[in-house]
């Protein structure tokens, strides 16, 4: 029998808003790829004290309810598996869904700042994308 809908709604509501602050063993990480059954490879910002890439587990409360995609962000608890001897480096404790709200928080890593996809004005002069090739008259004059 499937879980009641109230569990789904509670989990979705829990991940919608960012917390006021993060505990010291919680870090924001970027999802790199799915490694297998509920395991994900995530990348930490370079300012973090731990290693750059971690293997983390998606807990059962998020499974089949919240879907992660490459390039998305999650909050990882690096102290969850500290006492155990296994290949897992942490556990996902929250999923960043409303990225715009999370970016406004002071604990958001500077490395994960969204980059603009528009070209700078200096780059436009060198780029000829979308322009017609020069005519023969322009080549004779130059």
């Amino acid at each position: 029998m499937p879980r009641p809908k109230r569990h789904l709604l509670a989990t979705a509501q829990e991940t919608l808003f960012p917390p006021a602050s993060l505990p010291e063993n919680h870090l924001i990480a970027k999802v790199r790829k799915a490694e297998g059954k509920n395991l994900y490879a995530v990348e930490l910002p370079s300012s973090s004290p731990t290693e750059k890439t971690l293997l983390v587990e998606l807990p059962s409360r998020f499974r089949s309810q919240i879907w992660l995609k490459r390039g998305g962000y999650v909050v990882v608890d690096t102290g969850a598996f500290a006492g155990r001897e296994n290949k897992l480096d942490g556990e996902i404790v929250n999923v960043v869904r409303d990225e715009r709200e999370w970016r406004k928080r002071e604990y958001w890593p500077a490395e994960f700042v969204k980059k603009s996809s528009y070209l700078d004005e200096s780059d436009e002069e060198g780029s000829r994308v979308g322009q017609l090739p020069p005519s023969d008259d322009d080549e004779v004059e130059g």
Side-chain angles (χ1 to χ4, degrees):
M1 194 159 122
R3 293 184 199 171
K5 193 169 188 170
R6 67 178 180 267
H7 291 298
L8 172 66
L9 296 175
T11 303
Q13 186 70 20
E14 180 181 314
T15 62
L16 193 57
F17 300 107
S21 64
L22 290 179
E24 73 176 55
N25 60 344
H26 288 195
L27 300 169
I28 296 178
K30 189 174 191 176
V31 177
R32 281 287 145 216
K33 66 178 180 174
E35 290 288 346
K37 195 160 181 82
N38 303 314
L39 298 178
Y40 292 88
V42 297
E43 177 184 326
L44 296 176
S46 59
S47 61
S48 67
T50 59
E51 59 188 75
K52 188 86 168 142
T53 303
L54 301 176
L55 184 65
V56 296
E57 180 184 25
L58 187 68
S60 61
R61 66 186 172 133
F62 291 128
R63 294 177 191 164
S64 300
Q65 295 182 8
I66 303 289
W67 300 101
L68 301 180
K69 62 179 183 175
R70 282 187 308 243
Y73 297 99
V74 293
V75 178
V76 176
D77 182 7
T78 56
F81 297 115
R84 299 197 310 189
E85 294 287 328
N86 60 9
K87 63 182 180 178
L88 295 177
D89 299 314
E91 180 181 40
I92 296 172
V93 293
N94 204 342
V95 178
V96 175
R97 290 182 50 211
D98 187 9
E99 196 175 313
R100 185 176 291 161
E101 282 297 316
W102 282 78
R103 287 184 186 278
K104 294 178 184 176
R105 302 295 179 163
E106 66 275 355
Y107 51 77
W108 187 264
E111 186 178 317
F112 292 151
V113 173
K114 195 167 192 172
K115 295 177 178 83
S116 176
S117 61
Y118 295 110
L119 296 174
D120 294 337
E121 289 182 25
S122 61
D123 293 341
E124 286 184 18
E125 294 173 6
S127 176
R128 297 182 76 61
V129 175
Q131 297 178 357
L132 293 173
S135 64
D136 292 334
D137 296 337
D138 292 340
E139 291 178 3
V140 173
E141 291 175 10

